[in-house]
Amino acid sequence: MIELIPAIDIINGQCVRLTKGDYAMKTIYGSPQEMAMEFERIGYKRLHLVDLDGAKSKHIVNGAVLKNITSKTKLIVDFGGGIKTDDDIEEAFRLGASMVTIGSVAVSEPERFMGWLKKYGADHIILGADVRNGKISINGWKEDSSEDLLPFLAKYVDAGVTKVLCTEISKDGTLAGPAIELYQRVMATYPGLHLIASGGVSSIEDIKALEAAGIPAVVFGKAIYEGKINLQKLWDWQNA
């Protein structure tokens, strides 16, 4: 059964969605806290929460939103965006995150990432692998690194990473369907990985297709806010 993880992206304390990571292509959807409480009311257990201001500024900016959600719900929150230093990751956990998603640091400071993996454990660290034209992208998708996806994953899976959030940036926010072939390549290489697919999900049918392809988990956001996915119907399908 595929794990369903609704997403909330934050800019200036508001729930937003970007298209292909472009901050100029932003749609505002309202209160993150209200959305999170609605997810929990329906029955969802997980939340993927991204501080887009933090990703851009290279430090946590919307920590108050994280605290509000973790204090008002029992959702298991994985938090990403702007976690660059030891103080940042400690702050994220202090504010109630159960897990953190780390991408840029894994590229630019692998020793620091390895240290966090050892200190906090693989259950609490999600490796962020955001892909554009086959390369890992960093710092709020503003920069492309020289890292290719599968070799990038290899060194960290070998080091003990068990959870990876993989976003195909060209798909993100487009509602054009997920990059199933990309995720299948990852799963074929690392069949034991808890891979979280992200980007392009436009319907319950897309999620069913990911499940049929053997993908363990999916993050979806814009399809919720644009009315393409009915959260109650999705929950009922999975729990029938």
Side-chain angles (χ1 to χ4, degrees), residues 89-167:
I89 194 169
E90 288 173 9
E91 181 182 6
F93 286 125
R94 179 177 57 81
L95 294 172
S98 299
M99 292 171 269
V100 292
T101 300
I102 308 294
S104 299
V105 168
V107 174
S108 60
E109 298 181 77
E111 290 185 3
R112 183 187 294 273
F113 179 86
M114 294 289 198
W116 289 349
L117 183 63
K118 183 177 180 180
K119 179 176 181 178
Y120 297 105
D123 286 345
H124 300 286
I125 302 289
I126 300 170
L127 175 63
D130 302 325
V131 184
R132 179 164 46 210
N133 299 321
K135 302 291 186 181
I136 299 295
S137 185
I138 60 174
N139 295 327
W141 302 349
K142 296 298 181 187
E143 304 169 39
D144 291 334
S145 74
S146 60
E147 297 267 10
D148 291 312
L149 175 60
L150 290 179
F152 174 72
L153 295 180
K155 60 185 174 185
Y156 289 121
V157 171
D158 289 346
V161 162
T162 59
K163 305 175 193 295
V164 171
L165 174 70
C166 185
T167 302

Side-chain angles (χ1 to χ4, degrees), residues 54-226:
K56 195 173 184 179
S57 302
K58 301 184 181 181
H59 62 88
I60 293 174
V61 175
N62 289 288
V65 176
L66 170 61
K67 180 62 176 177
N68 285 342
I69 289 174
T70 58
S71 63
K72 292 177 181 177
T73 75
K74 294 181 181 179
L75 292 169
I76 298 168
V77 178
D78 75 79
F79 179 79
I83 299 174
K84 306 294 185 186
T85 67
D86 293 349
D87 287 343
D88 290 328
I89 194 169
E90 288 173 9
E91 181 182 6
F93 286 125
R94 179 177 57 81
L95 294 172
S98 299
M99 292 171 269
V100 292
T101 300
I102 308 294
S104 299
V105 168
V107 174
S108 60
E109 298 181 77
E111 290 185 3
R112 183 187 294 273
F113 179 86
M114 294 289 198
W116 289 349
L117 183 63
K118 183 177 180 180
K119 179 176 181 178
Y120 297 105
D123 286 345
H124 300 286
I125 302 289
I126 300 170
L127 175 63
D130 302 325
V131 184
R132 179 164 46 210
N133 299 321
K135 302 291 186 181
I136 299 295
S137 185
I138 60 174
N139 295 327
W141 302 349
K142 296 298 181 187
E143 304 169 39
D144 291 334
S145 74
S146 60
E147 297 267 10
D148 291 312
L149 175 60
L150 290 179
F152 174 72
L153 295 180
K155 60 185 174 185
Y156 289 121
V157 171
D158 289 346
V161 162
T162 59
K163 305 175 193 295
V164 171
L165 174 70
C166 185
T167 302
E168 170 51 76
I169 296 171
S170 69
K171 295 277 192 177
D172 192 71
T174 65
L175 301 175
I180 293 177
E181 290 184 3
L182 172 69
Y183 307 132
Q184 285 179 314
R185 287 202 303 273
V186 174
M187 292 305 300
T189 308
Y190 306 108
L193 195 64
H194 190 76
L195 179 67
I196 306 166
S198 173
V201 172
S202 65
S203 65
I204 294 177
E205 294 307 313
D206 283 342
I207 293 174
K208 291 179 179 179
L210 286 164
E211 182 175 63
I215 310 306
V218 58
V219 161
F220 51 100
K222 192 168 187 176
I224 301 169
Y225 307 113
E226 293 292 324

Side-chain angles (χ1 to χ4, degrees), residues 17-26 141-142:
R17 295 301 291 181
L18 307 182
T19 300
K20 299 182 182 180
D22 188 343
Y23 284 71
M25 299 173 69
K26 175 180 69 178
W141 302 349
K142 296 298 181 187

